[in-house]
Short mmCIF file of all heavy atoms in Angstrom, two decimals:
data_model
loop_
_atom_site.label_atom_id
_atom_site.label_comp_id
_atom_site.label_asym_id
_atom_site.label_seq_id
_atom_site.Cartn_x
_atom_site.Cartn_y
_atom_site.Cartn_z
N MET A 64 -2.55 -4.08 2.40
CA MET A 64 -1.52 -5.06 2.37
C MET A 64 -2.35 -6.40 1.81
O MET A 64 -1.60 -7.09 0.88
CB MET A 64 -1.10 -5.31 3.81
CG MET A 64 0.11 -6.43 3.75
SD MET A 64 0.51 -6.89 5.36
CE MET A 64 -0.92 -7.66 6.01
N ARG A 65 -3.43 -6.73 2.18
CA ARG A 65 -4.09 -7.96 1.75
C ARG A 65 -4.50 -7.87 0.20
O ARG A 65 -4.35 -8.78 -0.59
CB ARG A 65 -5.29 -8.22 2.56
CG ARG A 65 -4.91 -8.72 3.73
CD ARG A 65 -6.18 -9.17 4.82
NE ARG A 65 -5.66 -9.71 5.98
CZ ARG A 65 -6.45 -9.68 7.12
NH1 ARG A 65 -7.63 -9.14 7.15
NH2 ARG A 65 -5.93 -10.24 8.24
N ASP A 66 -4.96 -6.50 -0.18
CA ASP A 66 -5.18 -6.35 -1.54
C ASP A 66 -3.98 -6.60 -2.32
O ASP A 66 -4.00 -7.19 -3.47
CB ASP A 66 -5.67 -5.04 -1.80
CG ASP A 66 -7.19 -4.85 -1.46
OD1 ASP A 66 -7.81 -5.80 -1.24
OD2 ASP A 66 -7.65 -3.64 -1.50
N ALA A 67 -2.82 -5.97 -1.91
CA ALA A 67 -1.51 -6.14 -2.56
C ALA A 67 -1.09 -7.68 -2.83
O ALA A 67 -0.68 -8.13 -3.86
CB ALA A 67 -0.35 -5.38 -1.93
N GLN A 68 -1.33 -8.53 -1.68
CA GLN A 68 -1.10 -9.97 -1.71
C GLN A 68 -1.94 -10.61 -2.75
O GLN A 68 -1.40 -11.55 -3.52
CB GLN A 68 -1.31 -10.51 -0.41
CG GLN A 68 -0.16 -10.18 0.69
CD GLN A 68 -0.43 -10.70 2.06
OE1 GLN A 68 -1.72 -11.03 2.32
NE2 GLN A 68 0.48 -10.79 2.92
N VAL A 69 -3.15 -10.38 -2.76
CA VAL A 69 -4.18 -10.84 -3.80
C VAL A 69 -3.56 -10.54 -5.21
O VAL A 69 -3.63 -11.55 -6.10
CB VAL A 69 -5.58 -10.47 -3.53
CG1 VAL A 69 -6.51 -10.84 -4.70
CG2 VAL A 69 -6.09 -11.02 -2.20
N ILE A 70 -3.38 -9.32 -5.48
CA ILE A 70 -2.84 -8.90 -6.76
C ILE A 70 -1.61 -9.73 -7.10
O ILE A 70 -1.41 -10.17 -8.31
CB ILE A 70 -2.67 -7.35 -6.80
CG1 ILE A 70 -4.02 -6.67 -6.72
CG2 ILE A 70 -1.97 -6.97 -8.14
CD1 ILE A 70 -4.06 -5.29 -6.61
N LYS A 71 -0.75 -9.73 -6.31
CA LYS A 71 0.57 -10.37 -6.48
C LYS A 71 0.41 -11.93 -6.80
O LYS A 71 0.98 -12.39 -7.78
CB LYS A 71 1.48 -10.33 -5.18
CG LYS A 71 2.79 -11.05 -5.26
CD LYS A 71 3.57 -11.00 -3.99
CE LYS A 71 4.60 -11.85 -3.79
NZ LYS A 71 5.31 -11.94 -2.63
N ASN A 72 -0.48 -12.50 -6.04
CA ASN A 72 -0.72 -14.01 -6.30
C ASN A 72 -1.49 -14.14 -7.57
O ASN A 72 -1.30 -15.10 -8.32
CB ASN A 72 -1.52 -14.57 -5.12
CG ASN A 72 -0.55 -14.84 -3.84
OD1 ASN A 72 0.63 -14.95 -4.01
ND2 ASN A 72 -1.08 -14.64 -2.77
N LEU A 73 -2.35 -13.28 -8.01
CA LEU A 73 -3.09 -13.42 -9.27
C LEU A 73 -2.09 -13.25 -10.41
O LEU A 73 -2.32 -13.86 -11.37
CB LEU A 73 -4.23 -12.41 -9.28
CG LEU A 73 -5.43 -12.66 -8.46
CD1 LEU A 73 -6.45 -11.53 -8.50
CD2 LEU A 73 -6.15 -13.80 -8.97
N SER A 74 -1.12 -12.26 -10.22
CA SER A 74 -0.11 -12.12 -11.27
C SER A 74 0.73 -13.36 -11.38
O SER A 74 1.09 -13.78 -12.45
CB SER A 74 0.72 -10.92 -10.99
OG SER A 74 0.00 -9.75 -10.88
N LYS A 75 1.12 -13.90 -10.20
CA LYS A 75 1.86 -15.22 -10.28
C LYS A 75 1.01 -16.35 -11.03
O LYS A 75 1.65 -17.04 -11.92
CB LYS A 75 2.21 -15.77 -8.85
CG LYS A 75 3.31 -15.01 -8.18
CD LYS A 75 3.52 -15.59 -6.78
CE LYS A 75 4.69 -15.06 -6.11
NZ LYS A 75 4.82 -15.57 -4.79
N MET A 76 -0.16 -16.38 -10.72
CA MET A 76 -1.07 -17.57 -11.36
C MET A 76 -1.04 -17.24 -12.83
O MET A 76 -1.01 -18.10 -13.73
CB MET A 76 -2.38 -17.41 -10.73
CG MET A 76 -3.35 -18.48 -11.23
SD MET A 76 -5.06 -18.47 -10.58
CE MET A 76 -5.71 -17.06 -11.40
N GLU A 77 -1.27 -15.94 -13.17
CA GLU A 77 -1.38 -15.62 -14.71
C GLU A 77 0.03 -16.08 -15.41
O GLU A 77 0.02 -16.55 -16.38
CB GLU A 77 -1.71 -14.23 -14.81
CG GLU A 77 -1.86 -13.71 -16.23
CD GLU A 77 -2.31 -12.28 -16.32
OE1 GLU A 77 -2.86 -11.72 -15.43
OE2 GLU A 77 -2.21 -11.72 -17.50
N ASN A 78 1.13 -15.79 -14.67
CA ASN A 78 2.54 -15.98 -15.21
C ASN A 78 2.61 -17.49 -15.41
O ASN A 78 3.07 -18.00 -16.55
CB ASN A 78 3.51 -15.49 -14.36
CG ASN A 78 4.93 -15.61 -14.96
OD1 ASN A 78 5.04 -15.60 -16.18
ND2 ASN A 78 6.00 -15.55 -14.06
N ILE A 79 2.12 -18.33 -14.46
CA ILE A 79 2.33 -19.68 -14.53
C ILE A 79 1.39 -20.33 -15.63
O ILE A 79 1.80 -21.16 -16.32
CB ILE A 79 1.87 -20.39 -13.17
CG1 ILE A 79 2.91 -20.12 -12.11
CG2 ILE A 79 1.67 -21.87 -13.29
CD1 ILE A 79 2.62 -20.42 -10.72
N GLN A 80 0.27 -19.77 -15.71
CA GLN A 80 -0.72 -20.21 -16.86
C GLN A 80 -0.07 -19.91 -18.24
O GLN A 80 -0.09 -20.69 -19.26
CB GLN A 80 -2.05 -19.49 -16.71
CG GLN A 80 -2.94 -20.01 -15.68
CD GLN A 80 -4.21 -19.30 -15.47
OE1 GLN A 80 -4.43 -18.15 -15.85
NE2 GLN A 80 -5.15 -19.91 -14.76
N SER A 81 0.59 -18.71 -18.42
CA SER A 81 1.33 -18.38 -19.58
C SER A 81 2.40 -19.38 -19.91
O SER A 81 2.61 -19.74 -21.08
CB SER A 81 1.78 -16.87 -19.49
OG SER A 81 0.61 -15.96 -19.40
N LYS A 82 3.05 -19.69 -18.85
CA LYS A 82 4.19 -20.66 -19.02
C LYS A 82 3.66 -21.95 -19.48
O LYS A 82 4.29 -22.69 -20.30
CB LYS A 82 5.03 -20.80 -17.71
CG LYS A 82 5.93 -19.64 -17.51
CD LYS A 82 6.76 -19.79 -16.20
CE LYS A 82 7.60 -18.61 -16.00
NZ LYS A 82 8.37 -18.61 -14.74
N VAL A 83 2.57 -22.45 -18.88
CA VAL A 83 1.93 -23.71 -19.22
C VAL A 83 1.62 -23.73 -20.73
O VAL A 83 1.80 -24.69 -21.52
CB VAL A 83 0.79 -24.03 -18.41
CG1 VAL A 83 0.01 -25.16 -18.91
CG2 VAL A 83 1.33 -24.37 -16.96
N GLU A 84 0.93 -22.67 -21.25
CA GLU A 84 0.54 -22.43 -22.55
C GLU A 84 1.68 -22.42 -23.47
O GLU A 84 1.67 -23.15 -24.62
CB GLU A 84 -0.25 -21.16 -22.80
CG GLU A 84 -1.72 -21.23 -22.26
CD GLU A 84 -2.39 -19.82 -22.31
OE1 GLU A 84 -2.09 -19.13 -23.38
OE2 GLU A 84 -3.29 -19.51 -21.62
N LEU A 85 2.76 -21.82 -23.09
CA LEU A 85 3.96 -21.81 -24.01
C LEU A 85 4.60 -23.16 -24.06
O LEU A 85 4.93 -23.59 -25.19
CB LEU A 85 5.03 -20.80 -23.27
CG LEU A 85 6.41 -20.70 -24.04
CD1 LEU A 85 6.18 -20.23 -25.49
CD2 LEU A 85 7.28 -19.93 -23.31
N ILE A 86 4.68 -23.90 -23.04
CA ILE A 86 5.21 -25.33 -22.98
C ILE A 86 4.33 -26.26 -23.93
O ILE A 86 4.80 -27.09 -24.74
CB ILE A 86 5.28 -25.81 -21.60
CG1 ILE A 86 6.42 -25.16 -20.80
CG2 ILE A 86 5.43 -27.37 -21.47
CD1 ILE A 86 6.34 -25.52 -19.31
N GLN A 87 2.90 -26.01 -23.85
CA GLN A 87 2.05 -26.81 -24.68
C GLN A 87 2.21 -26.39 -26.05
O GLN A 87 2.24 -27.35 -26.98
CB GLN A 87 0.58 -26.58 -24.13
CG GLN A 87 0.25 -27.20 -22.92
CD GLN A 87 -1.12 -26.83 -22.37
OE1 GLN A 87 -1.72 -25.82 -22.80
NE2 GLN A 87 -1.59 -27.58 -21.40
N MET A 88 2.39 -25.18 -26.46
CA MET A 88 2.59 -24.74 -27.84
C MET A 88 4.00 -25.35 -28.41
O MET A 88 4.03 -25.61 -29.60
CB MET A 88 2.45 -23.27 -28.00
CG MET A 88 1.15 -22.69 -27.65
SD MET A 88 1.23 -20.87 -27.82
CE MET A 88 -0.20 -20.59 -28.78
N ARG A 89 4.92 -25.24 -27.48
CA ARG A 89 6.16 -25.73 -27.95
C ARG A 89 6.22 -27.29 -28.20
O ARG A 89 6.97 -27.77 -29.06
CB ARG A 89 7.34 -25.44 -27.00
CG ARG A 89 7.68 -24.00 -27.07
CD ARG A 89 8.83 -23.65 -26.14
NE ARG A 89 9.35 -22.25 -26.24
CZ ARG A 89 10.12 -21.63 -25.48
NH1 ARG A 89 10.60 -22.38 -24.27
NH2 ARG A 89 10.47 -20.45 -25.55
N GLY A 90 5.42 -27.93 -27.35
CA GLY A 90 5.32 -29.40 -27.49
C GLY A 90 4.46 -29.89 -28.74
O GLY A 90 4.45 -31.04 -29.16
N ALA A 91 3.64 -28.91 -29.23
CA ALA A 91 2.76 -29.29 -30.33
C ALA A 91 3.58 -29.28 -31.71
O ALA A 91 4.54 -28.57 -31.73
CB ALA A 91 1.60 -28.30 -30.54
N TYR A 92 3.14 -30.04 -32.61
CA TYR A 92 3.95 -29.99 -33.90
C TYR A 92 2.88 -30.01 -35.01
O TYR A 92 1.72 -30.27 -34.86
CB TYR A 92 4.77 -31.26 -33.97
CG TYR A 92 3.99 -32.51 -33.98
CD1 TYR A 92 3.55 -33.25 -35.18
CD2 TYR A 92 3.66 -33.28 -32.98
CE1 TYR A 92 2.85 -34.30 -35.23
CE2 TYR A 92 2.97 -34.45 -32.90
CZ TYR A 92 2.53 -34.93 -33.92
OH TYR A 92 1.79 -36.12 -33.98
N THR A 93 3.30 -29.48 -36.06
CA THR A 93 2.57 -29.38 -37.26
C THR A 93 3.17 -30.23 -38.48
O THR A 93 4.40 -30.13 -38.63
CB THR A 93 2.38 -27.98 -37.66
OG1 THR A 93 1.84 -27.31 -36.56
CG2 THR A 93 1.53 -27.82 -38.88
N CYS A 94 2.35 -30.98 -39.04
CA CYS A 94 2.90 -31.78 -40.15
C CYS A 94 2.59 -31.03 -41.59
O CYS A 94 1.25 -30.78 -41.76
CB CYS A 94 2.32 -33.19 -40.17
SG CYS A 94 2.81 -34.17 -41.46
#
Side-chain angles (χ1 to χ4, degrees):
M64 181 185 71
R65 287 183 179 154
D66 277 354
Q68 287 175 335
V69 168
I70 291 169
K71 176 184 169 187
N72 288 328
L73 287 173
S74 295
K75 280 183 179 179
M76 184 183 69
E77 186 177 337
N78 187 25
I79 290 170
Q80 287 175 340
S81 296
K82 287 181 179 180
V83 167
E84 286 179 30
L85 178 62
I86 290 170
Q87 289 172 344
M88 291 176 134
R89 284 184 177 166
Y92 63 92
T93 304
C94 181

